[in-house]
Every structure is written in C-alpha cells, then in structure tokens.
Amino acid sequence: MTRPDIHPVAGALGAVLTGIDLTKVTEAEQLEGLKKALAEYLVVFLPEQDMDLDDLERVTDLLGGRDVTPFVTPLEGRPYVIRVIKEPADQLNFANAWHTDLSYLAEPPSYTLLHAWEVPDHGGDTVWSNQYLAFETLSSGLKKTLVGMTAVHSAGMAYGTGGVLDKVKGLSSMAIEPSAEAYKQHPHPAVIEHPVTGRAALYLNPVYTTQFEGWNPLESRALLDHVYRHSINENFTCRLRWERHTLAVWDNRCTLHNALNDYSGARREMFRTSVKGAAPKPFS
Ligand code: SIN
C-alpha cells in the first residue's frame, strides 16, 4: 500500500495528500491509503498530479469503476469524462450551488474526481461541507424526524427542458444537454448510512432534492430550507484554492460542494469523472 503524507486543511473535513504519484498507480491496492484518507477526511486534494486523461480514467477505474454524467456531453471518445469549463467571456460557471453529484440517479456515484488543467490566478475555489457533522449537530428531535424519512430527487430543475441551465445556456460554455428525461424522480433516504464508515449522513441537497415523500411541497420547502441553512454552516466546511494539476477527490455520500463563481474574465478548465456507487441505504 502507498502511504501518502496527510495534512488536514480544516477541522471539519479536507486534507492534502502528498507522496503519491497517480501517473504511476496501476493497482487498486496502491490506492488503499487514498481511500482510507477519503473515509477520514471526506475530500482530499492531491497537488502536482501531472496526469493526462488516460491516467484520470485509470485512477477512476481503480477506485471502483467509471460512471456516466447524464445531461452533459462527454469528451469525444471518452464517454465517462466531462469538461468543466468557464471561458473568460462566460458569466456562469458550472455547479455554482450546493449539491451532491448526481443524487437524482437510483445509484449515485460514490466519488467524484476533478483535475485542474487551467485555473484563475485568484478566485474559482470550491467549498465542501461535511454532512456527517451536519446530521450529528441537529437537535435530537429533528434527527428523529429525519431518520426514516424519504426525499425525492430529480435533475429537472437544473437539466430539464426549460430548466435553469436551459434558460441560461448562452451564458456558459458548458456542454449541457437539457432533456425531458431529467424530470424523472428517484426517492432516497433523507439520512443515509455510509457504506464504508457506517456513520449517518444527511443526504439532502438544494439542487436535486425536490420534496419529502408524503409531505406537500410547502411543508417540504420549509423543512428543506431549514436543513440547508444548517448543512452549509461554515463550521462544517473546507475550501480549496486550486492550482494547475491539483486533483480533488470527494465522497458524495457524506459531503455537499459548491464551485464559486468569483473570477469574472478568467478561464478555468477541469476534467471530471465519477466513480460508480450504489443505492443509498437508510440509517436506522
Ligand atoms: C462539480 O461540482 O463537479 C464542479 C466543481 C468545481 O468546478 O469546482
């Protein structure tokens, strides 16, 4: 097992990992140290990884296998890789809202990998929030209410035909494919048991969660808004100042993230893959 050096970046989550060259990793066993760090720190940052797209795909496979990213046109000849791009003239970036990647799928991805090719000289940071802590710091009453509840997730608001990204498509260079398919709905537990750590994590996010099952939209909105205010409390977060060739890997089952849009006139280009996951299990 390759044992990386680990330097936490915040009290809640996040660590920088050095001492591992991902261009040389060919066996899953070599990533055991990385996986252990992910279980402990939820999001890890690996600077100076001068990887090409073959390396990115190989590491994704070794972490559990590539998964598709619906509603974004992948790279030609690489159906599992998307380009996360903001050109200098773009007004909007991708993913500028708190979310968990692809939670609208029946089996959402376990991890996301994001590799920086070009970054602004300031701005364009990404922020993550620890959803174990978010759950653990709720009142015992609200914990009891949420455990056992089911929430509906859908990509419709973001990727649906006539949805938010369809309406603003002239303002971004992202290859978004709005679709009626995006309105499909999938239920997931509001509080899930993490399959690796066994810990309880809140599994609700403002982009893809639409309402609670058995609650009407107004009731759902009120509780969801309350939970979201709590789940992105600054005390639960960490923030990455990107550098070219940094690879970030995060666990979607216990984090939310938000890509900040504060670098007007600058270019930022990243390549992203997702690692296959499983249907989230309820925490009980
Ligand atoms: C994403 O949510 O996949 C993109 C995050 C980022 O661009 O920092």
Side-chain angles (χ1 to χ4, degrees), residues 84 94-95 99 101 112 114 124-126 128 242 250 257-259 268 270 272:
V84 174
F94 182 59
H99 66 287
D101 287 336
T112 299
L114 190 65
D125 296 0
T126 308
W128 285 263
W242 288 94
W250 63 88
H257 62 282
N258 185 352
R268 182 180 186 270
M270 314 260 176
R272 186 182 109 167

Side-chain angles (χ1 to χ4, degrees), residues 266-279:
R267 189 170 192 276
R268 182 180 186 270
E269 183 179 38
M270 314 260 176
F271 289 91
R272 186 182 109 167
T273 54
S274 310
V275 177
K276 266 186 200 312

Side-chain angles (χ1 to χ4, degrees), residues 21-124:
D21 177 355
L22 293 173
T23 65
K24 305 252 160 26
V25 166
T26 53
E27 309 288 334
E29 203 254 333
Q30 293 171 276
L31 293 179
E32 281 309 308
L34 171 63
K35 278 189 156 171
K36 273 178 101 170
L38 274 167
E40 189 167 349
Y41 296 100
L42 323 191
V43 53
V44 296
F45 311 127
L46 297 101
E48 295 174 13
Q49 299 292 331
D50 191 359
M51 302 157 68
D52 61 18
L53 294 173
D54 289 338
D55 295 323
L56 181 64
E57 288 182 327
R58 191 184 60 259
V59 172
T60 307
D61 288 341
L62 294 173
L63 282 173
R66 294 169 224 180
D67 206 353
V68 287
T69 300
F71 317 124
V72 181
T73 312
L75 296 193
E76 177 126 20
R78 296 190 191 264
Y80 301 99
V81 182
I82 65 162
R83 190 162 81 116
V84 174
I85 180 71
K86 183 170 185 257
E87 296 289 359
D90 290 349
Q91 285 182 39
L92 300 180
N93 67 333
F94 182 59
N96 179 215
W98 286 100
H99 66 287
T100 306
D101 287 336
L102 314 189
S103 72
Y104 53 86
L105 296 177
E107 296 184 344
S110 49
Y111 306 114
T112 299
L113 289 80
L114 190 65
H115 188 223
W117 282 39
E118 184 171 346
V119 298
D121 65 12
H122 58 275

